[in-house]
Amino acid sequence: MVSLIRTPIVSNALEYLFKGVDISQFNGSVNFESLKKSGVEFVIIRIAGANSGGIYKDKKCDDNYKKAIAAGLHVGFYYCGNDGDIKNYVHRIKKLKEWLSEFVFDMPFFYDVEGGILHNHTKKEPMTALFLLFFQY
C-alpha cells in the first residue's frame, strides 16, 4: 500500500507530499534500496499484531527497521489491533510501548484497526474510549 502523508494545509500543498509504504512480515524480504531509488521516502513498519493468543511482535520488524534505516528512509510504525478482546488490553499496550522504545523513528505511529475489533465494537463511543486508553499509556 502506498501512503501519502500531508503536512498542514499550505498554499502549495503538493510540495509537501511524501511517498511511502507500509511493510510487514507478510511482504517477505523487502529491498529497501530499491524502494528508495523508486522515490519512496518513508516506511511504516508493522511492529506487532494481536489475536486470541495475545500480542506478538512482527517477525520481520527488527530486520525491516535496520534495513530501512540503512537505506536512508524515514521510519514510522503501526500496530494491527485486530483481536477485539479488551480483557488484556492494558498489558498489550505496555508490551507494545516497550517494543517501540527500542527504536528511534521520525514518522508517526499508527493504530491499524481491522478484524475482530471492528465486529465487537460496533458503536463509535466504545471504540473511541479504547483508543483514548491506548494513547494514555
Side-chain angles (χ1 to χ4, degrees):
M1 179 171 108
V2 174
S3 303
L4 295 176
I5 300 292
R6 296 177 189 258
T7 59
I9 297 174
V10 293
S11 61
N12 194 2
L14 291 178
E15 289 182 39
Y16 299 95
L17 293 178
F18 302 96
K19 184 178 177 184
V21 296
D22 67 301
I23 302 290
S24 75
Q25 64 192 31
F26 303 111
N27 295 106
S29 182
V30 176
N31 186 327
F32 290 91
E33 295 292 336
S34 291
L35 282 177
K36 177 85 172 178
K37 288 177 185 172
S38 74
V40 169
E41 298 173 80
F42 71 90
V43 294
I44 306 299
I45 299 170
R46 181 177 182 252
I47 190 164
N51 57 30
S52 59
I55 190 169
Y56 58 90
K57 193 169 186 182
D58 187 281
K59 294 174 186 173
K60 299 282 287 176
C61 178
D62 294 332
D63 188 51
N64 285 338
Y65 175 79
K66 289 174 191 170
K67 289 178 179 176
I69 294 296
L73 294 166
H74 297 280
V75 174
F77 289 95
Y78 75 97
Y79 166 65
C80 187
N82 60 359
D83 61 331
D85 173 24
I86 62 168
K87 284 186 254 176
N88 296 308
Y89 197 67
V90 172
H91 164 74
R92 289 194 301 268
I93 294 169
K94 289 179 180 179
K95 192 66 177 170
L96 178 60
K97 292 198 174 187
E98 175 188 320
W99 288 333
L100 281 169
S101 72
E102 298 170 8
F103 303 102
V104 175
F105 51 102
D106 58 355
M107 295 296 290
F109 169 79
F110 298 88
Y111 192 119
D112 180 14
V113 181
E114 295 182 7
I117 197 168
L118 292 173
H119 301 295
N120 295 339
H121 302 282
T122 55
K123 293 188 177 180
K124 180 174 69 170
E125 293 80 10
M127 286 187 71
T128 301
L130 196 64
F131 301 131
L132 289 174
L133 176 65
F134 179 86
F135 288 106
Q136 286 177 359
Y137 282 86

